[in-house]
């Protein structure tokens, strides 16, 4: 399933003439950390399974992460996260599809403050978002970093009253991705 999703993402962003110009960059091991500060217990999990495609010419960016790839320190937390809150069997991926609003020159080293505007799809609910971050270009490698909050209620993630003290209504996501130029296997 993950392989087919990667192929679909690539097909939307890559055309044969762009491939030779190295305007398409990909990563398949983006790190995403989620953090929730709550009165009784903080919740933290990390995934290194984020897949993303970034087309520097069109400024299109797509990002996908398997929900069940988040690892928690406590296995019970991980189980509740997947079964009770995120319903990862029903909604296996969180996705973002949008455009970076600033033009980046992948041939020029530097650091850029950017925003990406598009659709964030979490738990089957799509919301228009503008997400701030930074892009660093160094020797043909592009690094993207972002930190933003997602409200559970915006994506119909229900938190039972019984555990309301354990889980915050807002989840902080920190994304770090290192992109390399896409090259098709010949």
């Amino acid at each position: 399933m993950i392989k087919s999703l990667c192929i679909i993402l690539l097909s939307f962003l890559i055309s044969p003439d762009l491939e030779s110009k190295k305007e398409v960059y990909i990563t398949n091991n983006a790190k995403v950390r989620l953090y929730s500060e709550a009165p009784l217990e903080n919740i933290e999990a990390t995934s290194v399974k984020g897949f993303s495609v970034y087309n520097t010419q069109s400024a299109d960016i797509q990002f996908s992460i398997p929900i069940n790839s988040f690892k928690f320190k406590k296995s019970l937390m991980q189980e509740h996260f997947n079964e009770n809150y995120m319903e990862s069997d029903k909604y296996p991926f969180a996705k973002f599809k949008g455009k970076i609003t600033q033009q980046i020159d992948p041939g020029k080293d530097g650091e850029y403050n950017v925003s990406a505007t598009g659709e964030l799809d979490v738990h089957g609910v799509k919301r228009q978002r503008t997400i701030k971050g930074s892009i660093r270009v160094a020797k043909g490698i592009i690094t993207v970093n972002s930190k933003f909050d997602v409200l559970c209620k915006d994506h119909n993630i229900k938190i039972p009253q019984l555990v309301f003290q354990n889980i915050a209504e807002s989840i902080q996501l920190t994304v770090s991705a290192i992109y390399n130029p896409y090259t098709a296997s010949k």
Side-chain angles (χ1 to χ4, degrees):
M1 175 136 173
I2 292 175
K3 253 191 171 162
S4 60
L5 181 64
C6 294
I7 291 168
I8 291 168
L9 285 175
L10 282 171
S11 68
F12 283 115
L13 293 176
I14 298 174
S15 67
D17 59 326
L18 288 180
E19 180 190 325
S20 62
K21 295 179 186 175
K22 292 189 178 177
E23 292 166 341
V24 174
Y25 291 76
I26 65 167
T27 183
N28 62 0
N29 58 358
K31 181 178 180 181
V32 179
R33 175 184 173 258
L34 67 83
Y35 180 76
S36 168
E37 188 172 323
L40 295 181
E41 184 174 25
N42 296 337
I43 297 169
E44 184 175 2
T46 304
S47 172
V48 291
K49 304 269 184 182
F51 179 81
S52 181
V53 179
Y54 172 37
N55 182 320
T56 59
Q57 182 180 4
S58 67
D60 290 329
I61 189 163
Q62 291 190 24
F63 194 93
S64 178
I65 187 158
I67 296 299
N68 66 6
S69 69
F70 282 98
K71 302 298 178 203
F72 293 75
K73 288 180 183 173
K74 296 180 178 178
S75 61
L76 189 58
M77 268 188 194
Q78 188 164 325
E79 184 180 323
H80 286 298
F81 174 79
N82 281 295
E83 292 176 9
N84 301 340
Y85 304 111
M86 296 302 293
E87 300 175 273
S88 60
D89 286 344
K90 190 174 179 181
Y91 309 107
F93 294 94
K95 299 175 238 171
F96 178 80
K97 180 180 180 181
K99 256 189 197 309
I100 293 180
T101 55
Q102 297 79 7
Q103 193 63 36
I104 302 302
D105 181 353
K108 183 178 177 186
D109 287 0
E111 185 137 354
Y112 308 87
N113 290 319
V114 297
S115 296
T117 299
E119 186 176 77
L120 179 65
D121 181 353
V122 177
H123 197 242
V125 178
K126 298 174 182 177
R127 295 274 186 206
Q128 287 296 311
R129 292 287 306 262
T130 296
I131 298 170
K132 294 182 179 193
S134 67
I135 293 180
R136 183 172 161 253
V137 178
K139 299 179 184 174
I141 305 295
I142 293 176
T143 305
V144 173
N145 289 295
S146 180
K147 186 183 281 190
F148 60 98
D149 293 332
V150 175
L151 295 175
C152 294
K153 68 178 181 177
D154 284 352
H155 295 277
N156 202 24
I157 300 168
K158 306 255 188 271
I159 301 172
Q161 280 298 117
L162 183 64
V163 293
F164 199 70
Q165 292 286 318
N166 293 27
I167 301 171
E169 292 183 53
S170 177
I171 307 296
Q172 182 184 75
L173 295 174
T174 305
V175 178
S176 179
I178 299 171
Y179 293 76
N180 289 294
Y182 172 76
T183 53
S185 302
K186 304 275 183 204

